[in-house]
Amino acid sequence: MALPAGFLDELRARVPVAGVVGRRVPLQRSGKQWKGCCPFHGEKTPSFYVYDDGYHCFGCGAHGDVITFVMQSQGLGFMDAVAQLAAEAGLEVPKPTPEAAEAERRRLDTIEVLQAAQVHYQKRLDLPEGRPARDYLLGRGLTAETIARYGLGWAGDRGALTADLGRQGVTPDQLEAAGLLRRDEDAGRTFELFSHRVMFPIRDRRGAIISFGGRILGSGQPKYVNGPETDLFVKRRNLFGLDIAAAACPKGAALIVVEGYMDVIAAAQSGFTGAVAPLGTALTPEQLNELWRISAAPILCFDGDAAGARAAARAMDLALPMLTPSRTLKFATLPAGEDPDSLVRKGGAPAFQAILDAARPPTDALFAMLRGEIGDSTAEQRAALRTKLAEAANRVEDKALASEYRSALFDMFFASRRRAGRGPGQDGPRRGQRGNGVGPGLRMPRPVPQKAGAADERMRILTAILLRHPGLLHDLAHAFANLPLNERLAQLRDAMETYAETAEALDSAGLIDHLTHSGFEQDVRHVLAEAPMPLPACAASQAMPAEAESGWWHIFGFLNVDHLREEVALAEAEAARNLTPETQRRHQALVAAWWKVRQGELDGEPDGAGSIDA
């Protein structure tokens, strides 16, 4: 029984090859793929490699996809293997109905029509009428080999395709089903979609032609036209060049997303055979999932102009909720006015490789995008930027990854503010400058000398306050994460943050009980001990949350005064913009902590680091 190609594609996408193979063969990560000893012939040195979409043994030559593996490893027939995998994926195998059989027959007929159309367009390119198209392609730097590899052609006068394929028995209805013919109901006639255009075949992942794109020569509009959506061709699910990239990436090619057909072809001709492009639209969730089937970290490389910047921002916005520890992206920025096609023609492969080598991870690219959009030269802009950074991190649905994004983004935020406030070689604000946006008079306090062990004692106290008042963990997460805790306290901090991300309610008793049953009982006792120094009043369970928060920032300020100063500035800006009891409380707590630090009001300093009376 023939099964719909769409069903089989969905089945392959839902059942990772590595997961199925790993149940029979111990696999180890090897770069972007997995490797192990081949299950089909005895070997001691692993030569069996598993990729996102298939497997290959370099010893015996066995290869295939997840369906083939189940067939070969279990001795099952095709339909039995499909049924087993479908049950695992939660899919229902289509019933063998006459309608399904007819739909599959039409699909295969349409593929044959499109293949015949490609032969027609390729022949036209070699005729005298195709000379302008040949000159255009050769003038863009393409070789005859590249033109043939991508199956490029020429659509001449309207009617030529219908006449040529009609002599081969192809009917107008079949041409219409293939997206090559359009029907004008008002005029009561049909007409060919493509004429006087350079033709680009669009193939699916397996290499079957599913549509065409055409580029007009000269100044006419639209410059590019894609075929309409059909039973075979759905724009949001496909990418130009996908078949060649899917074959090249398992062999080491980088998966690169560019903007246009010519960018893909020029990049591939220069050796970057993993290049693909959307089909005249912004990236879609379906296309991102298709990219991640091939590579865990595709590189998005858009044109170096305003439109390219907008495309990168849209892609970032789309990708954030879909990112996981095993699915990420990189962002490469082209020089202004350049695209991959123009860049490789001017500077060759090394010029493009340099751009790819400088591709940034999503955190770096996201920070640059938001900072460029909002700015950070005023307190108001910094407050708005910080809010946007937090919102962006929260859109990452994987909780562990979202936490890492928050830390990375705020690390960049505070690092950029420190750089902005200092000259080369300076350790503090520029002469005459007031505290980087903090209100008048809130200047940098003089450093307070600390004996060895005082910093560790302060960090123990800060951890104790959050154990007693875990409701503050969310607001203080970034500052807490940046403390250079010793190994024991760092592990305890990680456990506290993980609990805070998943707990329905945050209370001290629940947190301590969780930590005790998670192997941290001795660490909790150490943190809450009244020795070697007694804990301050703000670490007591009966302390009010505002008292605990103010005391926390007071102690923190002696460890990281730059960060405290930034927090004061941001709270001041937020209170000025949106005065609520919460923003007012936070601003007052931070200012009080700042003044205590500035005036050096630390009881028993430096030996009394653990007896702060906040």
Side-chain angles (χ1 to χ4, degrees):
M1 173 186 117
L3 293 172
F7 166 77
L8 294 177
D9 286 344
E10 180 70 14
L11 179 64
R12 295 183 183 101
R14 287 202 190 187
V15 186
V17 188
V20 175
V21 175
R23 291 197 285 262
R24 290 183 170 267
V25 180
L27 297 176
Q28 292 183 336
R29 185 57 102 166
S30 177
K32 298 178 181 178
Q33 56 271 336
W34 301 83
K35 69 176 181 179
C37 290
C38 179
F40 304 118
H41 80 285
E43 63 176 7
K44 296 182 179 179
T45 302
S47 62
F48 184 81
Y49 283 77
V50 180
Y51 309 98
D52 286 343
D53 59 350
Y55 62 90
H56 180 79
C57 177
F58 290 92
C60 69
H63 68 277
D65 60 13
V66 67
I67 300 173
T68 310
F69 182 82
V70 172
M71 293 171 63
Q72 292 181 347
S73 63
Q74 299 182 35
L76 299 178
F78 177 78
M79 287 306 302
D80 290 334
V82 167
Q84 178 177 310
L85 292 171
E88 183 177 333
L91 293 174
E92 183 177 349
V93 179
K95 296 285 191 292
T97 63
E99 292 78 11
E102 175 62 20
E104 180 63 11
R105 186 193 64 77
R106 289 197 304 269
R107 188 185 75 84
L108 295 175
D109 285 348
T110 301
I111 289 177
E112 290 183 3
V113 170
L114 289 165
Q115 289 172 336
Q118 184 197 15
V119 172
H120 168 85
Y121 293 137
Q122 285 180 299
K123 287 180 179 178
R124 291 281 166 176
L125 183 66
D126 292 331
L127 294 176
E129 70 174 84
R131 179 65 181 271
R134 292 199 307 276
D135 290 345
Y136 165 77
L137 294 172
L138 295 173
R140 295 290 294 265
L142 301 188
T143 65
E145 180 183 1
T146 298
I147 292 171
R149 183 183 189 187
Y150 280 88
L152 307 186
W154 170 251
D157 293 335
R158 282 198 169 104
L161 176 69
T162 303
D164 188 8
L165 268 60
R167 289 190 289 270
Q168 302 175 42
V170 177
T171 67
D173 286 344
Q174 289 176 307
L175 289 173
E176 186 178 358
L180 297 170
L181 204 66
R182 279 190 172 176
R183 188 175 302 277
D184 187 338
E185 299 292 349
D186 295 334
R189 65 181 182 88
T190 58
F191 63 92
E192 291 174 10
L193 179 64
F194 299 105
S195 66
H196 298 104
R197 289 181 180 270
V198 179
M199 299 301 293
F200 299 82
I202 300 170
R203 296 182 173 90
D204 65 14
R205 186 188 182 91
R206 298 180 300 278
I209 299 175
I210 54 177
S211 188
F212 288 91
R215 187 198 193 281
I216 198 168
L217 296 183
S219 57
Q221 293 295 329
K223 182 185 293 185
Y224 283 94
V225 170
N226 288 320
E229 295 205 347
T230 64
D231 291 341
L232 282 183
F233 179 51
V234 181
K235 290 181 182 180
R236 69 179 183 275
R237 295 184 181 276
N238 293 283
L239 293 147
F240 181 74
L242 184 63
D243 58 321
I244 293 176
C249 289
K251 300 175 183 177
L255 182 59
I256 310 161
V257 182
V258 295
E259 290 196 47
Y261 297 150
M262 289 302 298
D263 293 325
V264 170
I265 297 172
Q269 182 173 276
S270 296
F272 303 95
T273 49
V276 299
L279 298 166
T281 63
L283 275 174
T284 67
E286 292 86 354
Q287 288 169 340
L288 277 177
N289 281 324
E290 193 67 36
L291 292 170
W292 280 320
R293 288 181 64 190
I294 300 174
S295 171
I299 302 173
L300 305 188
C301 183
F302 296 113
D303 294 352
D305 55 17
R310 289 193 295 270
R314 286 195 298 268
M316 177 71 78
D317 186 63
L318 171 68
L320 277 176
M322 304 174 69
L323 297 175
T324 71
S326 61
R327 299 196 314 181
T328 187
L329 296 170
K330 293 182 179 179
F331 288 79
T333 303
L334 289 159
E338 299 285 1
D339 55 36
D341 178 25
S342 65
L343 190 65
V344 296
R345 279 191 283 146
K346 292 177 182 177
F352 193 41
Q353 185 62 57
I355 296 297
L356 300 179
D357 290 342
R360 296 176 293 180
T363 49
D364 292 18
L366 178 59
F367 181 80
M369 289 176 189
L370 293 176
R371 187 183 185 189
E373 173 190 337
I374 298 169
D376 64 349
S377 59
T378 68
E380 290 79 8
Q381 288 176 333
R382 291 194 297 274
L385 175 58
R386 188 175 183 187
T387 298
K388 283 290 187 180
L389 293 174
E391 291 174 351
N394 289 339
R395 293 194 61 230
V396 179
E397 292 185 357
D398 185 284
K399 290 185 177 180
L401 185 61
S403 178
E404 293 298 324
Y405 266 56
R406 279 193 294 272
S407 294
L409 291 170
F410 281 111
D411 282 346
M412 286 182 275
F413 175 83
F414 287 107
S416 70
R417 292 308 307 138
R418 286 194 295 273
R419 288 193 298 269
R422 297 174 183 177
Q426 291 179 310
D427 292 326
R430 296 187 183 96
R431 183 175 298 176
Q433 184 176 2
R434 287 186 173 182
N436 294 333
V438 180
L442 296 183
R443 298 181 178 86
M444 173 87 76
R446 295 179 180 178
V448 179
Q450 298 183 31
K451 288 184 178 180
D456 286 340
E457 189 63 11
R458 287 195 176 95
M459 287 186 277
R460 178 182 77 91
I461 295 170
L462 292 176
T463 307
I465 294 173
L466 292 177
L467 279 174
R468 291 300 191 195
H469 301 276
L472 300 174
L473 271 167
H474 290 305
D475 287 340
L476 305 178
H478 182 260
F480 191 35
N482 277 279
L483 289 175
L485 303 181
N486 61 42
E487 183 177 0
R488 287 177 61 189
L489 285 183
Q491 291 176 351
L492 182 63
R493 173 180 60 193
D494 291 344
M496 292 167 64
E497 290 177 344
T498 301
Y499 178 79
E501 290 171 1
T502 57
E504 294 183 2
L506 280 176
D507 63 89
S508 180
L511 172 61
I512 292 174
D513 182 67
H514 168 77
L515 294 172
T516 298
H517 288 87
S518 300
F520 291 97
E521 181 177 5
Q522 294 300 320
D523 300 290
V524 171
R525 288 183 178 180
H526 164 71
V527 169
L528 297 180
E530 293 291 338
M533 295 293 175
L535 294 175
C538 59
S541 57
Q542 63 269 25
M544 297 298 291
E547 178 187 9
E549 182 176 10
S550 178
W552 198 93
W553 282 118
H554 175 197
I555 302 166
F556 178 86
F558 281 91
L559 296 168
N560 192 336
V561 71
D562 285 344
H563 191 144
L564 176 60
R565 186 174 63 249
E566 286 291 346
E567 290 287 344
V568 174
L570 292 169
E572 187 173 75
E574 179 64 21
R577 184 177 61 181
N578 183 26
L579 185 60
T580 64
E582 176 62 23
T583 59
Q584 186 178 25
R585 176 200 61 74
R586 179 173 175 78
H587 180 230
Q588 290 174 346
L590 282 160
V591 169
W594 172 270
W595 280 108
K596 286 184 178 181
V597 172
R598 185 187 175 201
Q599 296 164 11
E601 293 178 351
L602 190 64
D603 293 341
E605 175 64 24
D607 295 323
S611 58
I612 299 171
D613 185 6

